[in-house]
Amino acid sequence: QVQLVESGGGLVQPGGALRLSCAASGIIFRSYDMSWYRQAPGKQRELVASITSGGITNYDDSVKGRFTISRDNAKNTMYLQMNSLKPEDTAVYYCSAFGGTYFRSRYWGQGTQVTVSS
């Protein structure tokens, strides 16, 4: 069965940094497009960053220049390096995987809380 497990969230001060990880199992990781979403209280879930199976990255304008998405196919793990964090980055961050051999499917992790506050 497919599992996506996020880790690395926590409480940080404005201007601080955090590195999120997403460990995947049950999929051929190297063949899947991966992405990070976030959802703040009272707001819709939004796409933060994505990285295709070919390594092409994309970022929401609000995080460009501050966040870096990457993947290590040998470890079946995706990362999100978050620098210069702002209070508006506070949200639950979710890992997502999209792909499949015959029928393409999207899978979600349980999420990890990131809180940026003084």
Side-chain angles (χ1 to χ4, degrees):
Q1 56 183 295
V2 178
Q3 279 195 304
L4 301 174
V5 181
E6 301 96 335
S7 61
L11 174 64
V12 295
Q13 302 292 319
L18 213 56
R19 189 196 196 201
L20 305 184
S21 298
C22 171
S25 60
I27 61 171
I28 304 175
F29 181 80
R30 68 181 184 275
S31 299
Y32 276 68
D33 295 336
M34 303 295 296
S35 58
W36 288 99
Y37 288 75
R38 68 186 180 189
Q39 187 167 25
K43 299 187 66 178
Q44 296 183 32
R45 186 172 299 187
E46 64 178 359
L47 178 63
V48 177
S50 63
I51 182 167
T52 69
S53 61
I56 305 299
T57 60
N58 194 267
Y59 300 90
D60 184 79
D61 286 341
S62 66
V63 306
K64 283 181 179 176
R66 300 188 298 121
F67 291 11
T68 303
I69 189 171
S70 62
R71 63 193 296 161
D72 187 339
N73 289 338
K75 291 184 168 66
N76 286 357
T77 302
M78 174 181 64
Y79 306 95
L80 185 67
Q81 179 65 49
M82 305 185 294
N83 298 327
S84 302
L85 283 162
K86 305 174 180 179
E88 51 262 46
D89 294 319
T90 296
V92 177
Y93 283 71
Y94 296 92
C95 171
S96 183
F98 183 77
T101 303
Y102 294 100
F103 299 99
R104 291 173 293 176
S105 300
R106 181 172 291 281
Y107 303 98
W108 296 91
Q110 290 295 108
T112 185
Q113 177 70 49
V114 171
T115 302
V116 185
S117 176
S118 298

